[in-house]
Amino acid sequence: MSLVTLLPFIVLIGAMFLMTRSAKKKQQAAAQMRNDMQPGTGVRTIGGMYATVKEIQEDTVLLEIAPGVHAVYAKNSIGAVLDDAEYNRIVHGDDEDLKVDGALVPDDASSLTAGEAADKDDDTAVAKIDLGKKAEGDAEPKDAEAKDAKADGESDAK
């Protein structure tokens, strides 16, 4: 066998090795994150629920979902371990750390156009847009005459 024949197989095996290596690194990082959990830490489950860690067992974690409400989850169901500032910002709505330099965007668009409409006259507040569509009475008579002339059996062909 020549090297040219083996080259595609070597490239394929190398690509598979690189893909499994990166996946293995991600799994090890997730396992390390779960092992570093401590009671009192805020977490997000893979289902998107935020809770506080109360107890850690070998394969399970006791989470406090709400004050006085506890649930047992598998360690593998923990999607992320959050730091205290981020957990408090998400769960309790503490926005002290977030500082906005510019103006805030309003919740609805009506406040964006209300000032402009009030400044204009009532006649020009709502501008009509011409879409090129005409009313039935405004139709051009040329089209009707051309249709009548062709209806008699005459054609444009020579």
Side-chain angles (χ1 to χ4, degrees):
M1 288 187 146
S2 68
L3 183 63
V4 177
T5 322
L6 292 176
L7 188 62
F9 294 113
I10 294 171
V11 171
L12 182 64
I13 291 170
M16 287 175 39
F17 173 74
L18 291 175
M19 286 190 289
T20 57
R21 183 175 167 204
S22 66
K24 186 179 271 190
K25 281 186 177 181
K26 287 179 185 178
Q27 287 176 349
Q28 287 175 347
Q32 183 65 32
M33 172 205 52
R34 290 183 189 111
N35 290 334
D36 291 344
M37 279 189 303
Q38 300 295 324
T41 307
V43 296
R44 183 183 66 236
T45 65
I46 58 173
M49 183 182 65
Y50 292 92
T52 305
V53 176
K54 288 297 176 184
E55 289 182 18
I56 301 172
Q57 304 297 325
E58 191 168 323
D59 293 332
T60 61
V61 179
L62 180 67
L63 299 179
E64 184 176 30
I65 301 166
V69 180
H70 297 85
V72 177
Y73 279 80
K75 265 191 177 178
N76 291 338
S77 66
I78 303 300
V81 177
L82 308 172
D83 60 347
D84 291 337
E86 183 179 5
Y87 180 76
N88 288 332
R89 182 182 59 82
I90 293 170
V91 175
H92 302 297
D94 295 343
D95 292 334
E96 297 171 0
D97 297 338
L98 299 177
K99 295 183 181 179
V100 179
D101 294 333
L104 294 175
V105 177
D107 291 338
D108 59 345
S110 63
S111 63
L112 296 174
T113 59
E116 295 174 8
D119 294 342
K120 296 180 180 181
D121 295 334
D122 291 336
D123 297 335
T124 60
V126 178
K128 292 185 178 179
I129 299 173
D130 182 24
L131 299 175
K133 195 173 187 180
K134 297 184 178 182
E136 291 180 20
D138 296 340
E140 297 180 10
K142 294 181 200 176
D143 295 336
E145 292 174 6
K147 289 180 183 177
D148 290 340
K150 291 181 183 178
D152 294 336
E154 297 176 12
S155 65
D156 290 338
K158 293 184 181 178

